[in-house]
Amino acid sequence: MSRHVELEGLIAWWLGELDPADADAVDEHLIDCAACSARGQRVAALAGGIGEHAARGQFAGVLPAGLVDRLVARGVRVRTFEVRAGEHVPCAASADDDLMNARLIGDFRGTGRLDVAVLGPDGGEQERYADVLVDRAAGVLDLAAPADQVRALPPMPTTICSTPAWSATSAAPAASTSPCSIPAAPRRSATPTSWSTAPAARST
Amino acid sequence: MGDCRDVPDGALARRIAAAGAAGAAAEEAEVYRRFAPRVRLHAQRRLRDRDESADHAHEVLVITLIALRAGTVREPDQLASFVLGTSRSLLIDRARTAARRRELLARFPTELADRVEPAPALDRDRLAHCLEQLDDRARSVLVLSFWLECSAEEAARDLGTTAGNVRVLRHRALARLSDCIGQEGA
């Protein structure tokens, strides 16, 4: 192989997705090309860094279905609290946890785009996750936060809300408005829905 | 010690062969500097271990330098092929004993390895910051692909999309992450 290897090709090579003949051709090019080798080393370094980051449970946000189970299988210590719509569940992260996961269980079918917001004790929006990944068939949504960040918080009630994306005609709701009370249109049967995960008895 | 950075592979190989056992220090150091990171990458893709890959690269380069000194590299202009072939052979034959390895590695001074640029290391805080800048899908596809080593098909099932889209997502996400970290970060 004499042509330089593009990033896409380097990724496929690194991940072992190329057939053996193509992988050999990339090997031959990389051993002979300082520039592509340097880019390959960059891919390797990024891959390693992503792994180290993930292994420490440094996830914040909505995780795709199945990822939590995969993380547990790789040794990440995940504390999962199942919360059904309308429930109040005390939750906390202990010193042994890497990741805290609020598994929201509800009926997300037919929601289209789904946004999730986290509200503080005063009802103010603390975080918003737009167009999140949700397993609609299973009715499960995993919202995670690094356990070390959770441990640093004082005990407090937290509410998690979801809402469909509001349409252009109802753009009035500002980000500062609780999405649970957004007069968003069109509202669908299952949303907005709120979960509460409070008050947290913080343990260490 | 002269700077041989611009000397082509073949010329380096011939000079080392001409010097024989006396050694051509500058040329040998340049061969080592030039190829060790590439061999390390070759090994790392298979071994997934930076330290083991660095040891492997040292071993491959020691064997290469011994062969160059002995004049047994038949096509000096194809030095890269010789290095790759040696790397491949050693990766296939990883069942050799630790004692044999130690004896071989002791034949060349470890200072050669000290001259090689270390494998790129990322600033952990910078990486964390840049990962946070990505959206959930992009971050998830990176973790699924590069840490959990899910195939594009497996990641696609988790993300509710197609394998083709996963390949696009991961490529874009890695490029954005790399850009965010910047050249100094690697």
Side-chain angles (χ1 to χ4, degrees):
Chain A
M1 175 182 285
S2 57
R3 285 188 302 133
H4 292 307
V5 188
E6 298 301 323
L7 178 60
E8 216 164 341
L10 280 173
I11 291 171
W13 170 82
W14 176 260
L15 295 175
E17 292 180 349
L18 301 180
D19 65 43
D22 288 340
D24 284 351
V26 174
D27 283 344
E28 284 158 18
H29 181 75
L30 294 184
I31 208 76
D32 204 25
C33 175
C36 288
S37 176
R39 288 168 51 236
Q41 291 169 56
R42 176 101 170 149
V43 170
L46 289 168
I50 291 164
E52 288 169 13
H53 185 81
R56 287 184 282 118
Q58 294 298 305
F59 292 89
V62 177
L63 307 184
L67 182 53
V68 169
D69 290 342
R70 293 185 194 278
L71 295 176
V72 170
R74 287 293 290 263
V76 177
R77 296 165 298 186
V78 183
R79 177 84 59 183
T80 291
F81 296 90
E82 291 194 351
V83 191
R84 285 168 179 76
E87 276 187 347
H88 294 253
V89 175
C91 57
S94 76
D96 292 336
D97 298 330
D98 296 315
L99 186 73
M100 198 179 93
N101 177 40
R103 174 159 289 173
L104 312 182
I105 299 172
D107 184 358
F108 300 102
R109 288 171 296 178
T111 50
R113 167 180 155 150
L114 193 74
D115 290 359
V116 170
V118 178
L119 311 184
D122 60 355
E125 187 174 306
Q126 296 182 328
E127 297 282 353
R128 172 175 288 268
Y129 303 98
D131 194 14
V132 300
L133 296 157
V134 57
D135 185 342
R136 290 181 169 77
V140 166
L141 187 153
D142 285 326
L143 178 62
D148 54 358
Q149 292 180 16
V150 174
R151 283 193 292 271
L153 296 171
M156 63 178 184
T158 303
T159 303
I160 304 167
C161 301
S162 67
T163 183
W166 41 96
S167 69
T169 56
S170 58
S176 60
T177 306
S178 162
C180 292
S181 59
I182 287 175
R187 280 195 179 181
R188 308 190 184 184
S189 60
T191 56
T193 305
S194 69
W195 294 262
S196 176
T197 55
R202 187 158 57 105
S203 64
T204 55
Chain B
M1 189 180 292
D3 187 350
C4 299
R5 288 184 181 234
D6 296 328
V7 179
D9 295 351
L12 286 174
R14 289 188 189 88
R15 287 185 200 174
I16 294 169
E27 287 77 5
E28 290 182 355
E30 175 57 19
V31 167
Y32 201 106
R33 188 201 66 79
R34 191 174 296 181
F35 285 103
R38 303 180 198 173
V39 177
R40 187 175 56 209
L41 176 65
H42 180 243
Q44 200 176 342
R45 184 173 80 88
R46 291 154 182 82
L47 304 178
R48 293 293 198 247
D49 184 290
R50 265 189 292 202
D51 293 337
E52 270 192 65
S53 302
D55 288 346
H56 169 85
H58 183 60
E59 191 170 357
V60 168
L61 267 296
V62 165
I63 290 171
T64 300
L65 292 175
I66 290 172
L68 286 170
R69 283 187 181 189
T72 56
V73 177
R74 288 184 186 151
E75 297 182 79
D77 292 321
Q78 303 302 318
L79 181 58
S81 295
F82 180 89
V83 172
L84 179 60
T86 304
S87 181
R88 282 177 174 157
S89 298
L90 289 187
L91 284 172
I92 291 168
D93 178 28
R94 285 183 55 79
R96 61 200 175 286
T97 65
R100 159 88 180 108
R101 293 182 66 201
R102 278 198 297 274
E103 185 274 329
L104 180 65
L105 299 184
R107 289 175 62 184
F108 268 76
T110 55
E111 298 86 72
L112 282 176
D114 295 339
R115 291 185 192 143
V116 176
E117 290 162 18
L122 301 175
D123 179 323
R124 186 183 275 193
D125 293 337
R126 182 73 187 158
L127 176 75
H129 167 77
C130 291
L131 279 168
E132 279 179 22
Q133 305 306 305
L134 300 176
D135 62 40
D136 289 340
R137 277 180 178 75
R139 199 165 42 242
S140 295
V141 82
L142 290 179
V143 171
L144 286 164
S145 300
F146 291 101
W147 186 46
L148 299 169
E149 302 201 336
C150 295
S151 67
E153 288 74 18
E154 288 172 318
R157 279 196 290 277
D158 275 15
L159 294 166
T161 184
T162 64
N165 194 37
V166 163
R167 292 188 185 97
V168 173
L169 278 173
R170 76 184 184 199
H171 164 228
R172 286 182 184 161
L174 198 71
R176 283 179 57 198
L177 185 65
S178 184
D179 288 346
C180 173
I181 291 170
Q183 291 304 316
E184 298 81 33

